[in-house]
Amino acid sequence: MDQIIKLEDVSWRRDGKEILKDINWEVKPGEHWAILGLNGSGKTSLLNIVTGYNYPTAGRVKVLGTEFGKASLPDMRKKIGFVSNALGRFAQTLNRETAENIVLSGKFASFGIYQDITEAEAQRAANILKELRLEYIADQRYSVLSQGEQRRTLLGRALMSNPELLILDEPCAGLDVLAREDVLAMTEQVAEETRPLLYVTHHIEEITEAISHVLLIRDGQIIAQGPKQDVLTGENLTETYKIPINLHWEGGRPWMSVERMAKESGGRT
């Protein structure tokens, strides 16, 4: 497969408003991408196009060999592992299930177990829980887990079907520093495997060494894209975040600070 994702001249409109405009983007095998932008910049809309839940108003889309309009999108979605804070809308169901059952449910793209589990599937779930350092909570209900444990459990669910593409949509949202770093460590471990990764965030410090490429988006348009060392500059981030940004690298990760803005007060700053 030459491309994992290919978007050509893609636009998307909703209620007469252009949400995405002239998106051209290509993800190749072996690349791990971070998608950065402010809230409302178009990150979620872009994900909805990639996963086939929104159909582009204009342009061409091809994901995992499936060209939109020429093949089954539900079949394509089965090849994608997805972790998002938005999965919280299934909390009522999740809270009743054990961590083990939630991981197992990823095999069937369901929330809950409604089919017989084979010995091989049970063993795979056990292996995933061990890899994510979650075996100690396998029989505990989701409702009693910490936020970090819950996110790692959902990551395990996404891995259960052995997806060809893994999408993490703001997986650290709402986590404290310790839980965030734990989730990021798990993300790095997963990224060491061959499957491509899309990591969506608006926190630049979450871009770990495993991320190879970055896409910056603002107001539905791409500001910059490519290898992270080329894209992550103060100038590009200033344009993306609409505020003066300074950038530095530490421990293989980028960190940013906001430049102090001059204040007008009686002619002095």
Side-chain angles (χ1 to χ4, degrees), residues 203-223:
H203 295 293
I204 190 173
E205 66 274 12
E206 293 177 13
I207 298 178
T208 64
E209 291 184 88
I211 298 296
S212 60
H213 290 66
V214 171
L215 181 147
L216 301 178
I217 187 168
R218 168 180 166 170
D219 299 332
Q221 294 182 281
I222 293 176
I223 297 299

Side-chain angles (χ1 to χ4, degrees), residues 12 26 45 57-58 71 77 114 116 156 244:
W12 185 64
E26 187 174 319
S45 297
T57 306
R77 291 189 198 109
Y114 307 103
D116 292 334

Side-chain angles (χ1 to χ4, degrees), residues 10 23 26 33 37 45 75 90-91 109 127 134 146 165 204 207 226 238:
V10 166
I23 301 294
E26 187 174 319
W33 284 75
S45 297
D75 287 344
F90 299 105
N127 290 342
L134 292 172
S146 69
L165 172 64
I204 190 173
I207 298 178
T238 294

Side-chain angles (χ1 to χ4, degrees), residues 121-154:
E121 290 165 348
Q123 185 59 54
R124 175 163 175 75
N127 290 342
I128 289 173
L129 286 165
K130 184 176 181 180
E131 289 172 6
L132 297 180
R133 302 199 306 272
L134 292 172
E135 64 268 34
Y136 68 98
I137 59 160
D139 60 350
Q140 294 185 30
R141 294 190 183 277
Y142 187 82
S143 58
V144 303
L145 305 183
S146 69
Q147 280 190 309
E149 290 168 340
Q150 288 179 348
R151 299 292 167 80
R152 286 155 54 200
T153 298
L154 292 176

